[in-house]
């Protein structure tokens, strides 16, 4: 790939990722939100390709856009969301959301200010052969990052079980399968 195209592709993929992330939050339809999340994962995989992390790009598509999103869509379809979409949000929830978003933007700006000006962040990555292959990533995942990896699995399992229980009982406590 020509080096001159990399900054242009970076900005296209970054804007696409951020735009789809905003649409995930802004969409009222949960299925549309899940599909925007799949698009966001696709743009993010493109960013991994630009970093020459082809394995991570493939895993991003296979695991996140494939398996995890199928699980999320299955959970969304299990829930009867008609009762939850009918309620209105108060002004307090909008103000709270804006305050949280403002705090995250301020934190992001502070992190950007800490980065050295004009220096690529790729300098900190190891420049040795095999640093980005599946074996090295697997070793790192199951040694140094084992606890967060297992915690994520338990969290996804608990969320799935909770949704199945809620869909069986119904949102208001009455049984939906009588």
């Amino acid at each position: 790939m020509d080096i001159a195209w990399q900054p242009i592709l970076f900005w296209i993929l970054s804007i696409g990722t951020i735009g789809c992330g905003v649409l995930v939050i802004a969409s009222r339809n949960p299925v549309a939100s899940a599909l925007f999340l799949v698009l966001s994962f696709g743009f993010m995989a493109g960013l991994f390709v630009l970093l020459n992390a082809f394995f991570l790009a493939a895993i991003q598509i296979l695991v996140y856009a494939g398996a995890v999103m199928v699980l999320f869509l299955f959970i969304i379809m299990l829930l009867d969301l008609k009762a939850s979409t009918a309620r209105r949000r108060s002004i307090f929830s909008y103000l709270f959301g804006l305050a949280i978003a403002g705090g995250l933007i301020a934190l992001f700006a502070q992190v950007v200010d800490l980065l050295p000006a004009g220096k690529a962040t790729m300098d900190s990555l190891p420049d040795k052969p095999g640093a980005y292959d599946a074996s090295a990533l697997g070793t790192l995942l199951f040694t140094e990052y084992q606890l967060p990896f297992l915690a994520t699995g338990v969290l996804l399992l608990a969320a799935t079980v909770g949704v199945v229980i809620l869909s069986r009982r119904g949102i208001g406590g009455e049984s939906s399968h009588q």
Side-chain angles (χ1 to χ4, degrees):
M1 178 184 305
D2 188 25
I3 299 297
W5 280 95
Q6 283 186 345
I8 296 169
L9 285 175
F10 170 78
W11 283 107
I12 291 171
L13 293 171
S14 297
I15 291 170
T17 302
I18 293 170
C20 287
V22 168
L23 289 172
V24 166
I25 297 169
S27 179
R28 292 193 177 269
N29 186 350
V31 176
S33 290
L35 293 177
F36 283 127
L37 191 58
V38 169
L39 278 175
S40 179
F41 288 153
F43 283 123
M44 217 181 308
L47 288 170
F48 283 134
V49 168
L50 285 179
L51 292 172
N52 292 326
F54 301 108
F55 177 74
L56 287 178
I59 292 301
Q60 182 76 25
I61 295 295
L62 291 174
V63 173
Y64 288 108
V68 172
M69 285 313 301
V70 166
L71 176 68
F72 283 172
L73 283 173
F74 178 70
I75 291 170
I76 288 169
M77 295 301 179
L78 267 177
L79 279 178
D80 183 22
L81 295 174
K82 292 176 188 137
S84 64
T85 57
R87 65 184 165 164
R88 295 181 47 112
R89 294 188 180 120
S90 69
I91 190 73
F92 176 73
S93 64
Y94 287 113
L95 293 175
F96 183 71
L98 283 174
I100 294 294
L104 288 175
I105 289 171
L107 183 65
F108 179 72
Q110 189 178 22
V111 168
V112 168
D113 283 342
L114 292 176
L115 291 175
K119 187 167 175 135
T121 58
M122 289 293 292
D123 293 343
S124 63
L125 294 176
D127 195 22
K128 58 183 179 184
Y132 306 109
D133 65 351
S135 175
L137 286 173
T139 302
L140 192 63
L141 184 66
F142 288 111
T143 55
E144 189 173 337
Y145 295 106
Q146 183 178 16
L147 182 62
F149 180 71
L150 292 174
T152 303
V154 169
L155 184 66
L156 283 173
L157 178 65
T160 306
V161 169
V163 166
V164 169
I165 289 172
L166 284 175
S167 68
R168 293 282 182 211
R169 267 195 291 175
I171 302 292
E174 69 275 355
S175 178
S176 60
H177 301 287
Q178 292 180 358

